[in-house]
Amino acid sequence: MTLKEMGGEYRAQALVLQARIRELREACRQAETEGEKEKLRQRIWALAIIWQETREQAALLERYYERGYRRNGRYTL
């Protein structure tokens, strides 16, 4: 598997995470107790971080070998 192909896999997983975040936001709107809402908010927050990092990794992997691509300083391979 090439890095570009791996980047595509990361991008696909980012879409899965995004869909789950949407589901949790809807569940949060429908939650009846504040305790439930807080648990859902914490889960959304954690998944949002993972979603962002997954998208950043996808971009890095997909474009790693392109000339002139300015790499993200947070990640090194």
Side-chain angles (χ1 to χ4, degrees):
M1 175 179 275
T2 66
L3 290 178
K4 188 171 187 167
E5 292 169 338
M6 191 181 296
E9 293 293 321
Y10 271 70
R11 190 148 320 272
Q13 288 304 309
L15 293 174
V16 172
L17 288 166
Q18 185 180 31
R20 183 64 180 145
I21 289 169
R22 278 193 217 116
E23 290 173 5
L24 290 173
R25 284 183 179 148
E26 182 60 32
C28 188
R29 281 191 279 279
Q30 295 176 1
E32 296 180 6
T33 67
E34 194 57 39
E36 287 177 51
K37 287 182 181 185
E38 186 58 33
K39 281 184 179 181
L40 290 168
R41 284 187 203 116
Q42 289 176 358
R43 183 68 180 149
I44 292 167
W45 176 78
L47 285 177
I49 292 170
I50 295 168
W51 177 55
Q52 177 184 354
E53 290 176 353
T54 302
R55 288 181 300 135
E56 290 172 355
Q57 285 290 326
L60 174 67
L61 292 170
E62 290 169 343
R63 301 187 65 197
Y64 185 77
Y65 292 109
E66 289 180 18
R67 280 193 160 192
Y69 174 63
R70 187 167 178 239
R71 293 186 177 92
N72 185 329
R74 288 178 52 182
Y75 304 106
T76 58
L77 297 176

